[in-house]
Amino acid sequence: MENKRYDLMHRHLLMTAGELLHDIPFSKIKVKEICVAAEINRNTFYRHFVDKYELLDELLNTSVQSIYATLDIDKFKKYPFETIKAFHFDGTIEVLAFQLQDRTFEDLFYKSIFKALSTVTTDQELLWLVGSLYVVQLWNTNRDVPYDLRRDYHILDQIVTAKQFPPAETNGPLN
């Protein structure tokens, strides 16, 4: 019975943190806020996670493994941002687009994706693609007006495919 309670609380904490990610940048979320939202004390949180970074890592790892199980790998390799955009269950793409504006989340997100994919595949092309997505996302977040993942995924896919960024003065799609 104790293991069942532990597992339920563990999932509750993951779900609570996931809900907070809808509205608060990850770097601004405090363990105290997770505890208040989950209606638990800090000791309970620390029985499950070392810190909020470990919680996020598990949340992302679980998500990546779930997505990978249903992922069309060939389509992902050809149109990675379009494929990511297609994962819109429970507002996932909106949360992801919001959180990728937070540099702390962005770094942890790509590290977690790479780590999770490394455990389920040895496909070097796929692993290199994840690195390319990270580079394109870093470039994009440093633009004056970043492309929107939900709307401009085709431009981001074109950048990955061409392995070159649009000329700075046009800020549009590649020719």
Side-chain angles (χ1 to χ4, degrees), residues 63-64 66-72 76 80-96 149:
S63 298
V64 168
S66 173
I67 289 168
Y68 184 79
T70 61
L71 187 67
D72 178 341
F76 180 70
F81 284 102
E82 180 179 344
T83 305
I84 291 168
K85 180 202 169 282
F87 287 107
H88 57 274
F89 48 88
D90 295 334
T92 301
I93 195 66
E94 288 78 14
V95 173
L96 184 58
L149 179 59

mmCIF file with all atom_site columns, all heavy atoms in Angstrom, residues 63-64 66-72 76 80-96 149:
data_model
loop_
_atom_site.group_PDB
_atom_site.id
_atom_site.type_symbol
_atom_site.label_atom_id
_atom_site.label_alt_id
_atom_site.label_comp_id
_atom_site.label_asym_id
_atom_site.label_entity_id
_atom_site.label_seq_id
_atom_site.pdbx_PDB_ins_code
_atom_site.Cartn_x
_atom_site.Cartn_y
_atom_site.Cartn_z
_atom_site.occupancy
_atom_site.B_iso_or_equiv
_atom_site.pdbx_formal_charge
_atom_site.auth_seq_id
_atom_site.auth_comp_id
_atom_site.auth_asym_id
_atom_site.auth_atom_id
_atom_site.pdbx_PDB_model_num
ATOM 1   N N   . SER A 1 63  ? 7.808  12.194 -21.109 1.00 0.00 ? 63  SER A N   1
ATOM 2   C CA  . SER A 1 63  ? 7.129  12.709 -22.303 1.00 0.00 ? 63  SER A CA  1
ATOM 3   C C   . SER A 1 63  ? 7.839  12.273 -23.577 1.00 0.00 ? 63  SER A C   1
ATOM 4   O O   . SER A 1 63  ? 7.193  11.839 -24.534 1.00 0.00 ? 63  SER A O   1
ATOM 5   C CB  . SER A 1 63  ? 7.054  14.233 -22.258 1.00 0.00 ? 63  SER A CB  1
ATOM 6   O OG  . SER A 1 63  ? 6.309  14.650 -21.149 1.00 0.00 ? 63  SER A OG  1
ATOM 7   N N   . VAL A 1 64  ? 9.150  12.386 -23.602 1.00 0.00 ? 64  VAL A N   1
ATOM 8   C CA  . VAL A 1 64  ? 9.911  12.019 -24.794 1.00 0.00 ? 64  VAL A CA  1
ATOM 9   C C   . VAL A 1 64  ? 9.742  10.532 -25.092 1.00 0.00 ? 64  VAL A C   1
ATOM 10  O O   . VAL A 1 64  ? 9.528  10.144 -26.249 1.00 0.00 ? 64  VAL A O   1
ATOM 11  C CB  . VAL A 1 64  ? 11.408 12.385 -24.647 1.00 0.00 ? 64  VAL A CB  1
ATOM 12  C CG1 . VAL A 1 64  ? 12.254 11.744 -25.739 1.00 0.00 ? 64  VAL A CG1 1
ATOM 13  C CG2 . VAL A 1 64  ? 11.578 13.895 -24.678 1.00 0.00 ? 64  VAL A CG2 1
ATOM 14  N N   . SER A 1 66  ? 7.269  8.611  -24.312 1.00 0.00 ? 66  SER A N   1
ATOM 15  C CA  . SER A 1 66  ? 5.896  8.398  -24.763 1.00 0.00 ? 66  SER A CA  1
ATOM 16  C C   . SER A 1 66  ? 5.730  8.844  -26.215 1.00 0.00 ? 66  SER A C   1
ATOM 17  O O   . SER A 1 66  ? 5.128  8.145  -27.030 1.00 0.00 ? 66  SER A O   1
ATOM 18  C CB  . SER A 1 66  ? 4.942  9.177  -23.852 1.00 0.00 ? 66  SER A CB  1
ATOM 19  O OG  . SER A 1 66  ? 3.640  9.127  -24.341 1.00 0.00 ? 66  SER A OG  1
ATOM 20  N N   . ILE A 1 67  ? 6.269  10.003 -26.534 1.00 0.00 ? 67  ILE A N   1
ATOM 21  C CA  . ILE A 1 67  ? 6.176  10.531 -27.901 1.00 0.00 ? 67  ILE A CA  1
ATOM 22  C C   . ILE A 1 67  ? 6.956  9.640  -28.862 1.00 0.00 ? 67  ILE A C   1
ATOM 23  O O   . ILE A 1 67  ? 6.486  9.317  -29.953 1.00 0.00 ? 67  ILE A O   1
ATOM 24  C CB  . ILE A 1 67  ? 6.678  11.987 -27.951 1.00 0.00 ? 67  ILE A CB  1
ATOM 25  C CG1 . ILE A 1 67  ? 5.685  12.908 -27.249 1.00 0.00 ? 67  ILE A CG1 1
ATOM 26  C CG2 . ILE A 1 67  ? 6.917  12.435 -29.389 1.00 0.00 ? 67  ILE A CG2 1
ATOM 27  C CD1 . ILE A 1 67  ? 6.198  14.304 -26.994 1.00 0.00 ? 67  ILE A CD1 1
ATOM 28  N N   . TYR A 1 68  ? 8.149  9.203  -28.455 1.00 0.00 ? 68  TYR A N   1
ATOM 29  C CA  . TYR A 1 68  ? 8.988  8.375  -29.318 1.00 0.00 ? 68  TYR A CA  1
ATOM 30  C C   . TYR A 1 68  ? 8.279  7.084  -29.711 1.00 0.00 ? 68  TYR A C   1
ATOM 31  O O   . TYR A 1 68  ? 8.422  6.605  -30.826 1.00 0.00 ? 68  TYR A O   1
ATOM 32  C CB  . TYR A 1 68  ? 10.319 8.056  -28.637 1.00 0.00 ? 68  TYR A CB  1
ATOM 33  C CG  . TYR A 1 68  ? 11.265 7.291  -29.533 1.00 0.00 ? 68  TYR A CG  1
ATOM 34  C CD1 . TYR A 1 68  ? 11.995 7.947  -30.515 1.00 0.00 ? 68  TYR A CD1 1
ATOM 35  C CD2 . TYR A 1 68  ? 11.408 5.915  -29.420 1.00 0.00 ? 68  TYR A CD2 1
ATOM 36  C CE1 . TYR A 1 68  ? 12.855 7.257  -31.357 1.00 0.00 ? 68  TYR A CE1 1
ATOM 37  C CE2 . TYR A 1 68  ? 12.265 5.214  -30.256 1.00 0.00 ? 68  TYR A CE2 1
ATOM 38  C CZ  . TYR A 1 68  ? 12.982 5.883  -31.220 1.00 0.00 ? 68  TYR A CZ  1
ATOM 39  O OH  . TYR A 1 68  ? 13.821 5.198  -32.064 1.00 0.00 ? 68  TYR A OH  1
ATOM 40  N N   . ALA A 1 69  ? 7.478  6.541  -28.808 1.00 0.00 ? 69  ALA A N   1
ATOM 41  C CA  . ALA A 1 69  ? 6.767  5.289  -29.079 1.00 0.00 ? 69  ALA A CA  1
ATOM 42  C C   . ALA A 1 69  ? 5.776  5.432  -30.229 1.00 0.00 ? 69  ALA A C   1
ATOM 43  O O   . ALA A 1 69  ? 5.481  4.457  -30.913 1.00 0.00 ? 69  ALA A O   1
ATOM 44  C CB  . ALA A 1 69  ? 6.052  4.812  -27.819 1.00 0.00 ? 69  ALA A CB  1
ATOM 45  N N   . THR A 1 70  ? 5.269  6.644  -30.459 1.00 0.00 ? 70  THR A N   1
ATOM 46  C CA  . THR A 1 70  ? 4.288  6.858  -31.527 1.00 0.00 ? 70  THR A CA  1
ATOM 47  C C   . THR A 1 70  ? 4.845  7.703  -32.675 1.00 0.00 ? 70  THR A C   1
ATOM 48  O O   . THR A 1 70  ? 4.115  8.013  -33.608 1.00 0.00 ? 70  THR A O   1
ATOM 49  C CB  . THR A 1 70  ? 3.038  7.566  -30.963 1.00 0.00 ? 70  THR A CB  1
ATOM 50  O OG1 . THR A 1 70  ? 3.418  8.837  -30.431 1.00 0.00 ? 70  THR A OG1 1
ATOM 51  C CG2 . THR A 1 70  ? 2.377  6.733  -29.879 1.00 0.00 ? 70  THR A CG2 1
ATOM 52  N N   . LEU A 1 71  ? 6.105  8.060  -32.598 1.00 0.00 ? 71  LEU A N   1
ATOM 53  C CA  . LEU A 1 71  ? 6.716  8.971  -33.564 1.00 0.00 ? 71  LEU A CA  1
ATOM 54  C C   . LEU A 1 71  ? 6.995  8.299  -34.904 1.00 0.00 ? 71  LEU A C   1
ATOM 55  O O   . LEU A 1 71  ? 7.513  7.186  -34.950 1.00 0.00 ? 71  LEU A O   1
ATOM 56  C CB  . LEU A 1 71  ? 8.036  9.492  -32.971 1.00 0.00 ? 71  LEU A CB  1
ATOM 57  C CG  . LEU A 1 71  ? 8.779  10.575 -33.732 1.00 0.00 ? 71  LEU A CG  1
ATOM 58  C CD1 . LEU A 1 71  ? 7.986  11.873 -33.735 1.00 0.00 ? 71  LEU A CD1 1
ATOM 59  C CD2 . LEU A 1 71  ? 10.137 10.806 -33.084 1.00 0.00 ? 71  LEU A CD2 1
ATOM 60  N N   . ASP A 1 72  ? 6.643  8.987  -35.972 1.00 0.00 ? 72  ASP A N   1
ATOM 61  C CA  . ASP A 1 72  ? 7.036  8.550  -37.318 1.00 0.00 ? 72  ASP A CA  1
ATOM 62  C C   . ASP A 1 72  ? 8.449  9.107  -37.527 1.00 0.00 ? 72  ASP A C   1
ATOM 63  O O   . ASP A 1 72  ? 8.629  10.278 -37.853 1.00 0.00 ? 72  ASP A O   1
ATOM 64  C CB  . ASP A 1 72  ? 6.054  9.097  -38.352 1.00 0.00 ? 72  ASP A CB  1
ATOM 65  C CG  . ASP A 1 72  ? 6.411  8.729  -39.783 1.00 0.00 ? 72  ASP A CG  1
ATOM 66  O OD1 . ASP A 1 72  ? 7.578  8.364  -40.061 1.00 0.00 ? 72  ASP A OD1 1
ATOM 67  O OD2 . ASP A 1 72  ? 5.509  8.825  -40.636 1.00 0.00 ? 72  ASP A OD2 1
ATOM 68  N N   . PHE A 1 76  ? 9.779  12.721 -38.883 1.00 0.00 ? 76  PHE A N   1
ATOM 69  C CA  . PHE A 1 76  ? 10.486 13.601 -37.956 1.00 0.00 ? 76  PHE A CA  1
ATOM 70  C C   . PHE A 1 76  ? 11.828 14.041 -38.536 1.00 0.00 ? 76  PHE A C   1
ATOM 71  O O   . PHE A 1 76  ? 12.204 15.200 -38.424 1.00 0.00 ? 76  PHE A O   1
ATOM 72  C CB  . PHE A 1 76  ? 10.689 12.912 -36.606 1.00 0.00 ? 76  PHE A CB  1
ATOM 73  C CG  . PHE A 1 76  ? 11.412 13.761 -35.600 1.00 0.00 ? 76  PHE A CG  1
ATOM 74  C CD1 . PHE A 1 76  ? 10.804 14.870 -35.046 1.00 0.00 ? 76  PHE A CD1 1
ATOM 75  C CD2 . PHE A 1 76  ? 12.707 13.449 -35.204 1.00 0.00 ? 76  PHE A CD2 1
ATOM 76  C CE1 . PHE A 1 76  ? 11.465 15.669 -34.115 1.00 0.00 ? 76  PHE A CE1 1
ATOM 77  C CE2 . PHE A 1 76  ? 13.371 14.230 -34.275 1.00 0.00 ? 76  PHE A CE2 1
ATOM 78  C CZ  . PHE A 1 76  ? 12.754 15.342 -33.736 1.00 0.00 ? 76  PHE A CZ  1
ATOM 79  N N   . PRO A 1 80  ? 11.148 18.013 -38.808 1.00 0.00 ? 80  PRO A N   1
ATOM 80  C CA  . PRO A 1 80  ? 11.144 17.913 -37.339 1.00 0.00 ? 80  PRO A CA  1
ATOM 81  C C   . PRO A 1 80  ? 10.226 18.912 -36.633 1.00 0.00 ? 80  PRO A C   1
ATOM 82  O O   . PRO A 1 80  ? 9.489  18.537 -35.718 1.00 0.00 ? 80  PRO A O   1
ATOM 83  C CB  . PRO A 1 80  ? 12.608 18.136 -36.964 1.00 0.00 ? 80  PRO A CB  1
ATOM 84  C CG  . PRO A 1 80  ? 13.210 18.842 -38.135 1.00 0.00 ? 80  PRO A CG  1
ATOM 85  C CD  . PRO A 1 80  ? 12.460 18.368 -39.335 1.00 0.00 ? 80  PRO A CD  1
ATOM 86  N N   . PHE A 1 81  ? 10.249 20.172 -37.045 1.00 0.00 ? 81  PHE A N   1
ATOM 87  C CA  . PHE A 1 81  ? 9.421  21.163 -36.355 1.00 0.00 ? 81  PHE A CA  1
ATOM 88  C C   . PHE A 1 81  ? 7.938  20.946 -36.647 1.00 0.00 ? 81  PHE A C   1
ATOM 89  O O   . PHE A 1 81  ? 7.101  21.135 -35.771 1.00 0.00 ? 81  PHE A O   1
ATOM 90  C CB  . PHE A 1 81  ? 9.862  22.587 -36.698 1.00 0.00 ? 81  PHE A CB  1
ATOM 91  C CG  . PHE A 1 81  ? 11.118 23.005 -35.983 1.00 0.00 ? 81  PHE A CG  1
ATOM 92  C CD1 . PHE A 1 81  ? 12.340 23.009 -36.632 1.00 0.00 ? 81  PHE A CD1 1
ATOM 93  C CD2 . PHE A 1 81  ? 11.081 23.387 -34.650 1.00 0.00 ? 81  PHE A CD2 1
ATOM 94  C CE1 . PHE A 1 81  ? 13.504 23.385 -35.974 1.00 0.00 ? 81  PHE A CE1 1
ATOM 95  C CE2 . PHE A 1 81  ? 12.234 23.761 -33.976 1.00 0.00 ? 81  PHE A CE2 1
ATOM 96  C CZ  . PHE A 1 81  ? 13.447 23.757 -34.639 1.00 0.00 ? 81  PHE A CZ  1
ATOM 97  N N   . GLU A 1 82  ? 7.620  20.518 -37.858 1.00 0.00 ? 82  GLU A N   1
ATOM 98  C CA  . GLU A 1 82  ? 6.224  20.200 -38.174 1.00 0.00 ? 82  GLU A CA  1
ATOM 99  C C   . GLU A 1 82  ? 5.747  19.026 -37.316 1.00 0.00 ? 82  GLU A C   1
ATOM 100 O O   . GLU A 1 82  ? 4.626  19.021 -36.804 1.00 0.00 ? 82  GLU A O   1
ATOM 101 C CB  . GLU A 1 82  ? 6.067  19.847 -39.647 1.00 0.00 ? 82  GLU A CB  1
ATOM 102 C CG  . GLU A 1 82  ? 4.640  19.515 -40.039 1.00 0.00 ? 82  GLU A CG  1
ATOM 103 C CD  . GLU A 1 82  ? 4.481  19.181 -41.512 1.00 0.00 ? 82  GLU A CD  1
ATOM 104 O OE1 . GLU A 1 82  ? 5.385  19.477 -42.315 1.00 0.00 ? 82  GLU A OE1 1
ATOM 105 O OE2 . GLU A 1 82  ? 3.419  18.622 -41.862 1.00 0.00 ? 82  GLU A OE2 1
ATOM 106 N N   . THR A 1 83  ? 6.603  18.032 -37.153 1.00 0.00 ? 83  THR A N   1
ATOM 107 C CA  . THR A 1 83  ? 6.255  16.875 -36.335 1.00 0.00 ? 83  THR A CA  1
ATOM 108 C C   . THR A 1 83  ? 6.058  17.292 -34.877 1.00 0.00 ? 83  THR A C   1
ATOM 109 O O   . THR A 1 83  ? 5.101  16.853 -34.236 1.00 0.00 ? 83  THR A O   1
ATOM 110 C CB  . THR A 1 83  ? 7.352  15.788 -36.441 1.00 0.00 ? 83  THR A CB  1
ATOM 111 O OG1 . THR A 1 83  ? 7.555  15.471 -37.822 1.00 0.00 ? 83  THR A OG1 1
ATOM 112 C CG2 . THR A 1 83  ? 6.953  14.547 -35.688 1.00 0.00 ? 83  THR A CG2 1
ATOM 113 N N   . ILE A 1 84  ? 6.928  18.144 -34.374 1.00 0.00 ? 84  ILE A N   1
ATOM 114 C CA  . ILE A 1 84  ? 6.784  18.636 -32.999 1.00 0.00 ? 84  ILE A CA  1
ATOM 115 C C   . ILE A 1 84  ? 5.481  19.422 -32.867 1.00 0.00 ? 84  ILE A C   1
ATOM 116 O O   . ILE A 1 84  ? 4.745  19.267 -31.895 1.00 0.00 ? 84  ILE A O   1
ATOM 117 C CB  . ILE A 1 84  ? 7.998  19.506 -32.592 1.00 0.00 ? 84  ILE A CB  1
ATOM 118 C CG1 . ILE A 1 84  ? 9.253  18.637 -32.471 1.00 0.00 ? 84  ILE A CG1 1
ATOM 119 C CG2 . ILE A 1 84  ? 7.728  20.251 -31.283 1.00 0.00 ? 84  ILE A CG2 1
ATOM 120 C CD1 . ILE A 1 84  ? 10.542 19.424 -32.349 1.00 0.00 ? 84  ILE A CD1 1
ATOM 121 N N   . LYS A 1 85  ? 5.187  20.241 -33.862 1.00 0.00 ? 85  LYS A N   1
ATOM 122 C CA  . LYS A 1 85  ? 3.961  21.034 -33.843 1.00 0.00 ? 85  LYS A CA  1
ATOM 123 C C   . LYS A 1 85  ? 2.728  20.145 -33.771 1.00 0.00 ? 85  LYS A C   1
ATOM 124 O O   . LYS A 1 85  ? 1.732  20.489 -33.139 1.00 0.00 ? 85  LYS A O   1
ATOM 125 C CB  . LYS A 1 85  ? 3.880  21.922 -35.078 1.00 0.00 ? 85  LYS A CB  1
ATOM 126 C CG  . LYS A 1 85  ? 2.630  22.773 -35.143 1.00 0.00 ? 85  LYS A CG  1
ATOM 127 C CD  . LYS A 1 85  ? 2.342  23.188 -36.578 1.00 0.00 ? 85  LYS A CD  1
ATOM 128 C CE  . LYS A 1 85  ? 0.995  23.802 -36.724 1.00 0.00 ? 85  LYS A CE  1
ATOM 129 N NZ  . LYS A 1 85  ? -0.096 22.829 -36.749 1.00 0.00 ? 85  LYS A NZ  1
ATOM 130 N N   . ALA A 1 86  ? 2.794  18.974 -34.392 1.00 0.00 ? 86  ALA A N   1
ATOM 131 C CA  . ALA A 1 86  ? 1.645  18.065 -34.423 1.00 0.00 ? 86  ALA A CA  1
ATOM 132 C C   . ALA A 1 86  ? 1.305  17.517 -33.038 1.00 0.00 ? 86  ALA A C   1
ATOM 133 O O   . ALA A 1 86  ? 0.177  17.082 -32.812 1.00 0.00 ? 86  ALA A O   1
ATOM 134 C CB  . ALA A 1 86  ? 1.911  16.915 -35.390 1.00 0.00 ? 86  ALA A CB  1
ATOM 135 N N   . PHE A 1 87  ? 2.250  17.549 -32.110 1.00 0.00 ? 87  PHE A N   1
ATOM 136 C CA  . PHE A 1 87  ? 1.967  17.082 -30.754 1.00 0.00 ? 87  PHE A CA  1
ATOM 137 C C   . PHE A 1 87  ? 1.293  18.210 -29.994 1.00 0.00 ? 87  PHE A C   1
ATOM 138 O O   . PHE A 1 87  ? 1.922  19.017 -29.339 1.00 0.00 ? 87  PHE A O   1
ATOM 139 C CB  . PHE A 1 87  ? 3.251  16.642 -30.037 1.00 0.00 ? 87  PHE A CB  1
ATOM 140 C CG  . PHE A 1 87  ? 3.775  15.344 -30.557 1.00 0.00 ? 87  PHE A CG  1
ATOM 141 C CD1 . PHE A 1 87  ? 4.906  15.315 -31.339 1.00 0.00 ? 87  PHE A CD1 1
ATOM 142 C CD2 . PHE A 1 87  ? 3.122  14.159 -30.273 1.00 0.00 ? 87  PHE A CD2 1
ATOM 143 C CE1 . PHE A 1 87  ? 5.390  14.118 -31.832 1.00 0.00 ? 87  PHE A CE1 1
ATOM 144 C CE2 . PHE A 1 87  ? 3.590  12.958 -30.765 1.00 0.00 ? 87  PHE A CE2 1
ATOM 145 C CZ  . PHE A 1 87  ? 4.727  12.935 -31.548 1.00 0.00 ? 87  PHE A CZ  1
ATOM 146 N N   . HIS A 1 88  ? -0.009 18.272 -30.110 1.00 0.00 ? 88  HIS A N   1
ATOM 147 C CA  . HIS A 1 88  ? -0.752 19.375 -29.498 1.00 0.00 ? 88  HIS A CA  1
ATOM 148 C C   . HIS A 1 88  ? -1.727 18.907 -28.424 1.00 0.00 ? 88  HIS A C   1
ATOM 149 O O   . HIS A 1 88  ? -2.599 19.635 -28.015 1.00 0.00 ? 88  HIS A O   1
ATOM 150 C CB  . HIS A 1 88  ? -1.493 20.172 -30.575 1.00 0.00 ? 88  HIS A CB  1
ATOM 151 C CG  . HIS A 1 88  ? -2.434 19.337 -31.388 1.00 0.00 ? 88  HIS A CG  1
ATOM 152 N ND1 . HIS A 1 88  ? -2.018 18.652 -32.492 1.00 0.00 ? 88  HIS A ND1 1
ATOM 153 C CD2 . HIS A 1 88  ? -3.738 19.058 -31.223 1.00 0.00 ? 88  HIS A CD2 1
ATOM 154 C CE1 . HIS A 1 88  ? -3.038 17.990 -33.000 1.00 0.00 ? 88  HIS A CE1 1
ATOM 155 N NE2 . HIS A 1 88  ? -4.086 18.207 -32.248 1.00 0.00 ? 88  HIS A NE2 1
ATOM 156 N N   . PHE A 1 89  ? -1.584 17.665 -27.962 1.00 0.00 ? 89  PHE A N   1
ATOM 157 C CA  . PHE A 1 89  ? -2.463 17.174 -26.923 1.00 0.00 ? 89  PHE A CA  1
ATOM 158 C C   . PHE A 1 89  ? -2.245 17.950 -25.634 1.00 0.00 ? 89  PHE A C   1
ATOM 159 O O   . PHE A 1 89  ? -1.139 18.312 -25.291 1.00 0.00 ? 89  PHE A O   1
ATOM 160 C CB  . PHE A 1 89  ? -2.271 15.663 -26.699 1.00 0.00 ? 89  PHE A CB  1
ATOM 161 C CG  . PHE A 1 89  ? -0.830 15.252 -26.564 1.00 0.00 ? 89  PHE A CG  1
ATOM 162 C CD1 . PHE A 1 89  ? -0.200 15.253 -25.345 1.00 0.00 ? 89  PHE A CD1 1
ATOM 163 C CD2 . PHE A 1 89  ? -0.110 14.874 -27.693 1.00 0.00 ? 89  PHE A CD2 1
ATOM 164 C CE1 . PHE A 1 89  ? 1.131  14.868 -25.226 1.00 0.00 ? 89  PHE A CE1 1
ATOM 165 C CE2 . PHE A 1 89  ? 1.220  14.489 -27.580 1.00 0.00 ? 89  PHE A CE2 1
ATOM 166 C CZ  . PHE A 1 89  ? 1.837  14.490 -26.342 1.00 0.00 ? 89  PHE A CZ  1
ATOM 167 N N   . ASP A 1 90  ? -3.329 18.217 -24.948 1.00 0.00 ? 90  ASP A N   1
ATOM 168 C CA  . ASP A 1 90  ? -3.302 18.931 -23.659 1.00 0.00 ? 90  ASP A CA  1
ATOM 169 C C   . ASP A 1 90  ? -2.547 20.253 -23.725 1.00 0.00 ? 90  ASP A C   1
ATOM 170 O O   . ASP A 1 90  ? -1.913 20.661 -22.758 1.00 0.00 ? 90  ASP A O   1
ATOM 171 C CB  . ASP A 1 90  ? -2.669 18.059 -22.565 1.00 0.00 ? 90  ASP A CB  1
ATOM 172 C CG  . ASP A 1 90  ? -3.503 16.825 -22.258 1.00 0.00 ? 90  ASP A CG  1
ATOM 173 O OD1 . ASP A 1 90  ? -4.721 16.876 -22.476 1.00 0.00 ? 90  ASP A OD1 1
ATOM 174 O OD2 . ASP A 1 90  ? -2.926 15.824 -21.810 1.00 0.00 ? 90  ASP A OD2 1
ATOM 175 N N   . GLY A 1 91  ? -2.580 20.923 -24.865 1.00 0.00 ? 91  GLY A N   1
ATOM 176 C CA  . GLY A 1 91  ? -1.910 22.207 -24.986 1.00 0.00 ? 91  GLY A CA  1
ATOM 177 C C   . GLY A 1 91  ? -0.400 22.117 -24.962 1.00 0.00 ? 91  GLY A C   1
ATOM 178 O O   . GLY A 1 91  ? 0.279  23.102 -24.690 1.00 0.00 ? 91  GLY A O   1
ATOM 179 N N   . THR A 1 92  ? 0.148  20.940 -25.258 1.00 0.00 ? 92  THR A N   1
ATOM 180 C CA  . THR A 1 92  ? 1.591  20.723 -25.174 1.00 0.00 ? 92  THR A CA  1
ATOM 181 C C   . THR A 1 92  ? 2.379  21.722 -26.001 1.00 0.00 ? 92  THR A C   1
ATOM 182 O O   . THR A 1 92  ? 3.367  22.276 -25.533 1.00 0.00 ? 92  THR A O   1
ATOM 183 C CB  . THR A 1 92  ? 1.943  19.286 -25.615 1.00 0.00 ? 92  THR A CB  1
ATOM 184 O OG1 . THR A 1 92  ? 1.248  18.382 -24.764 1.00 0.00 ? 92  THR A OG1 1
ATOM 185 C CG2 . THR A 1 92  ? 3.424  19.026 -25.522 1.00 0.00 ? 92  THR A CG2 1
ATOM 186 N N   . ILE A 1 93  ? 1.983  21.955 -27.244 1.00 0.00 ? 93  ILE A N   1
ATOM 187 C CA  . ILE A 1 93  ? 2.759  22.837 -28.118 1.00 0.00 ? 93  ILE A CA  1
ATOM 188 C C   . ILE A 1 93  ? 2.735  24.270 -27.602 1.00 0.00 ? 93  ILE A C   1
ATOM 189 O O   . ILE A 1 93  ? 3.735  24.978 -27.683 1.00 0.00 ? 93  ILE A O   1
ATOM 190 C CB  . ILE A 1 93  ? 2.298  22.741 -29.591 1.00 0.00 ? 93  ILE A CB  1
ATOM 191 C CG1 . ILE A 1 93  ? 3.348  23.363 -30.514 1.00 0.00 ? 93  ILE A CG1 1
ATOM 192 C CG2 . ILE A 1 93  ? 0.952  23.392 -29.813 1.00 0.00 ? 93  ILE A CG2 1
ATOM 193 C CD1 . ILE A 1 93  ? 4.658  22.632 -30.543 1.00 0.00 ? 93  ILE A CD1 1
ATOM 194 N N   . GLU A 1 94  ? 1.612  24.684 -27.027 1.00 0.00 ? 94  GLU A N   1
ATOM 195 C CA  . GLU A 1 94  ? 1.534  26.037 -26.471 1.00 0.00 ? 94  GLU A CA  1
ATOM 196 C C   . GLU A 1 94  ? 2.463  26.175 -25.271 1.00 0.00 ? 94  GLU A C   1
ATOM 197 O O   . GLU A 1 94  ? 3.168  27.174 -25.135 1.00 0.00 ? 94  GLU A O   1
ATOM 198 C CB  . GLU A 1 94  ? 0.088  26.383 -26.079 1.00 0.00 ? 94  GLU A CB  1
ATOM 199 C CG  . GLU A 1 94  ? -0.840 26.625 -27.248 1.00 0.00 ? 94  GLU A CG  1
ATOM 200 C CD  . GLU A 1 94  ? -1.337 25.350 -27.925 1.00 0.00 ? 94  GLU A CD  1
ATOM 201 O OE1 . GLU A 1 94  ? -1.185 24.246 -27.348 1.00 0.00 ? 94  GLU A OE1 1
ATOM 202 O OE2 . GLU A 1 94  ? -1.859 25.454 -29.049 1.00 0.00 ? 94  GLU A OE2 1
ATOM 203 N N   . VAL A 1 95  ? 2.463  25.170 -24.417 1.00 0.00 ? 95  VAL A N   1
ATOM 204 C CA  . VAL A 1 95  ? 3.347  25.188 -23.241 1.00 0.00 ? 95  VAL A CA  1
ATOM 205 C C   . VAL A 1 95  ? 4.797  25.170 -23.696 1.00 0.00 ? 95  VAL A C   1
ATOM 206 O O   . VAL A 1 95  ? 5.631  25.924 -23.193 1.00 0.00 ? 95  VAL A O   1
ATOM 207 C CB  . VAL A 1 95  ? 3.054  24.005 -22.294 1.00 0.00 ? 95  VAL A CB  1
ATOM 208 C CG1 . VAL A 1 95  ? 4.080  23.928 -21.167 1.00 0.00 ? 95  VAL A CG1 1
ATOM 209 C CG2 . VAL A 1 95  ? 1.653  24.121 -21.726 1.00 0.00 ? 95  VAL A CG2 1
ATOM 210 N N   . LEU A 1 96  ? 5.108  24.311 -24.660 1.00 0.00 ? 96  LEU A N   1
ATOM 211 C CA  . LEU A 1 96  ? 6.475  24.214 -25.161 1.00 0.00 ? 96  LEU A CA  1
ATOM 212 C C   . LEU A 1 96  ? 6.921  25.543 -25.770 1.00 0.00 ? 96  LEU A C   1
ATOM 213 O O   . LEU A 1 96  ? 8.011  26.031 -25.469 1.00 0.00 ? 96  LEU A O   1
ATOM 214 C CB  . LEU A 1 96  ? 6.591  23.087 -26.190 1.00 0.00 ? 96  LEU A CB  1
ATOM 215 C CG  . LEU A 1 96  ? 7.979  22.812 -26.735 1.00 0.00 ? 96  LEU A CG  1
ATOM 216 C CD1 . LEU A 1 96  ? 8.961  22.472 -25.621 1.00 0.00 ? 96  LEU A CD1 1
ATOM 217 C CD2 . LEU A 1 96  ? 7.919  21.685 -27.761 1.00 0.00 ? 96  LEU A CD2 1
ATOM 218 N N   . LEU A 1 149 ? 6.763  28.706 -33.256 1.00 0.00 ? 149 LEU A N   1
ATOM 219 C CA  . LEU A 1 149 ? 6.777  27.275 -33.545 1.00 0.00 ? 149 LEU A CA  1
ATOM 220 C C   . LEU A 1 149 ? 5.434  26.790 -34.090 1.00 0.00 ? 149 LEU A C   1
ATOM 221 O O   . LEU A 1 149 ? 5.387  25.945 -34.967 1.00 0.00 ? 149 LEU A O   1
ATOM 222 C CB  . LEU A 1 149 ? 7.147  26.500 -32.277 1.00 0.00 ? 149 LEU A CB  1
ATOM 223 C CG  . LEU A 1 149 ? 7.188  24.988 -32.353 1.00 0.00 ? 149 LEU A CG  1
ATOM 224 C CD1 . LEU A 1 149 ? 8.184  24.515 -33.404 1.00 0.00 ? 149 LEU A CD1 1
ATOM 225 C CD2 . LEU A 1 149 ? 7.552  24.409 -31.005 1.00 0.00 ? 149 LEU A CD2 1
#
